[in-house]
Amino acid sequence: MSADDSITPQDEILQEKQKICLFLAHGNIFVWNPNDVCTLRERHRIVGTLVGCLPRLPRQNAHLGIPLQLMKEEASLLLETGVCRLIDDTKPLMSPKPAQVSCFQELRRNQHQEQIEMYREERREEMRRHLPKILEGRKAKKRKLKESQKSYEESGSTAEEEEEVSFDVESVNIPAISTDHTMVQLFTENPWREKRTEVAVEWNFPLSEQEVMRCQVFRDLWERGYFLTSGCKFGGDFLVYPGDPSRYHAFFIAICIPHHKKMAAMDVVAMGRLGSNVKKTVLICSFDTEKDSVTYTSLQWTGIG
């Protein structure tokens, strides 16, 4: 019996469900689950691009959040290696069932109550930090009150006065905050997505010769242990990093050119100057269909001549 014969249909279904879901919407690939985003980056060296606005900072575009949009080359690699499965996300969500509405409302009530307790504890902690000022303020208030009643001269000893202005933080009645002032949990992925809404779709990429070349180059560099991102802002196809882009600068600008295409000298000079200006090495990448391999030519501008 071979290893494949030992896998039952139930095992295949379970393995399929455990795959990371990629959602296809109008030709774009998105990842909505934050855990999946971390898994793709840490385990599979797939970076993608965060394109969603942050709920607490919606009026800026310097720091973005979920969803993560993948390049088509990234999606193709993940589907070929069996890491992910593709789901059609163009259909509208189904209307929630009464049980789902009730569950969501209960979740909101629990979150509201938890935030009330957190708010009260933070207020008490703030009172403890400012307790000397609170006591001093109460002393001053009592002195003013006695002066207004013309009885300050006849007041008791200092010990009695200190006892009168004692302040018990725990006994303070702190009102609850309303639901309008509580934070709301935003789901980045539908927690009640039903199986019948998860429609697997075919991935028709790559199709053209240029797309096939880009996919082959992307996969070859990825298999060599590099991280890759889009290189359009640097005039190339990919940016190639020796490690996570959050910690390293890109070493190469990968430009995909057909293997038998003739290049003008000015194009070579332009690519060399491009790499020199951004302090990176230009990597001309070609896919040789006869040898079924990717060839690389590096360009570094010396500035001589």
Side-chain angles (χ1 to χ4, degrees):
M1 180 182 293
S2 63
D4 293 337
D5 295 335
S6 62
I7 300 177
T8 64
Q10 290 78 9
D11 294 334
E12 293 181 354
I13 295 175
L14 180 60
Q15 291 176 0
E16 187 69 18
K17 289 182 178 180
Q18 291 176 344
K19 292 181 179 180
I20 295 174
C21 290
L22 306 181
F23 296 97
L24 175 63
H26 307 291
N28 297 314
I29 305 294
F30 299 99
V31 181
W32 286 93
N33 190 301
N35 294 328
D36 293 342
V37 172
C38 294
T39 300
L40 290 176
R41 190 176 191 121
E42 295 172 359
R43 296 185 184 179
H44 306 289
R45 303 194 313 278
I46 297 297
V47 180
T49 304
L50 294 171
V51 295
C53 67
L54 298 177
R56 300 184 68 176
L57 298 170
R59 299 183 181 276
Q60 55 81 42
N61 57 5
H63 302 284
L64 300 176
I66 302 296
L68 180 78
Q69 184 175 353
L70 300 181
M71 294 187 296
K72 293 183 177 181
E73 292 79 12
E74 291 174 320
S76 296
L77 176 65
L78 293 171
L79 294 173
E80 290 174 5
T81 54
V83 175
C84 302
R85 58 195 178 107
L86 191 60
I87 303 298
D88 185 7
D89 202 35
T90 57
K91 295 184 178 181
L93 297 175
M94 305 295 292
S95 299
K97 296 179 180 179
Q100 295 173 346
V101 174
S102 177
C103 180
F104 177 75
Q105 292 174 346
E106 180 65 20
L107 178 64
R108 289 290 302 276
R109 286 193 293 269
N110 292 338
Q111 290 178 346
H112 181 214
Q113 189 61 37
E114 290 175 0
Q115 291 184 59
I116 289 176
E117 297 303 324
M118 292 174 61
Y119 169 75
R120 286 173 172 168
E121 184 57 31
E122 288 177 358
R123 290 287 295 144
R124 292 191 181 97
E125 184 61 30
E126 185 178 2
M127 291 178 187
R128 295 187 190 101
R129 291 198 303 267
H130 296 88
L131 186 58
K133 293 183 179 180
I134 294 175
L135 294 174
E136 187 61 33
R138 290 203 165 195
K139 290 179 185 178
K141 186 175 181 181
K142 279 187 172 293
R143 284 195 293 266
K144 288 183 180 180
L145 181 61
K146 289 181 180 181
E147 288 175 358
S148 65
Q149 296 175 350
K150 297 181 180 181
S151 59
Y152 182 77
E153 300 290 342
E154 303 174 358
S155 62
S157 63
T158 305
E160 293 178 345
E161 185 176 351
E162 289 291 338
E163 184 179 354
E164 291 178 0
V165 296
S166 61
F167 182 75
D168 185 9
V169 175
E170 302 300 328
S171 63
V172 177
N173 182 24
I174 302 175
I177 54 176
S178 64
T179 55
D180 295 336
H181 294 86
T182 56
M183 301 184 67
V184 178
Q185 174 66 47
L186 297 179
F187 296 109
T188 57
E189 187 177 14
N190 182 14
W192 295 289
R193 181 181 292 275
E194 299 180 10
K195 295 180 180 179
R196 57 193 175 94
T197 64
E198 293 189 358
V199 182
V201 293
E202 295 184 0
W203 180 237
N204 297 320
F205 186 90
L207 293 176
S208 66
E209 182 180 349
Q210 181 70 15
E211 292 173 348
V212 171
M213 178 177 56
R214 283 174 57 95
C215 284
Q216 292 292 342
V217 170
F218 184 92
R219 185 179 186 119
D220 187 76
L221 289 171
W222 179 82
E223 290 178 344
R224 293 172 184 263
Y226 292 106
F227 285 74
L228 290 93
T229 63
S230 174
C232 59
K233 65 179 179 180
F234 285 93
D237 291 287
F238 307 112
L239 289 179
V240 186
Y241 298 79
D244 194 298
S246 63
R247 301 176 58 189
Y248 296 89
H249 290 289
F251 277 10
F252 307 108
I253 302 175
I255 301 177
C256 299
I257 297 177
H259 186 65
H260 299 290
K261 180 181 178 180
K262 295 182 179 180
M263 296 180 58
M266 290 301 296
D267 293 336
V268 178
V269 172
M271 288 187 288
R273 291 179 64 88
L274 167 66
S276 176
N277 289 338
V278 294
K279 299 181 180 180
K280 304 184 190 305
T281 299
V282 173
L283 204 61
I284 300 177
C285 313
S286 302
F287 179 63
D288 189 345
T289 55
E290 297 178 358
K291 297 181 180 180
D292 193 25
S293 62
V294 180
T295 59
Y296 301 98
T297 303
S298 63
L299 295 177
Q300 286 185 315
W301 185 263
T302 61
I304 300 175

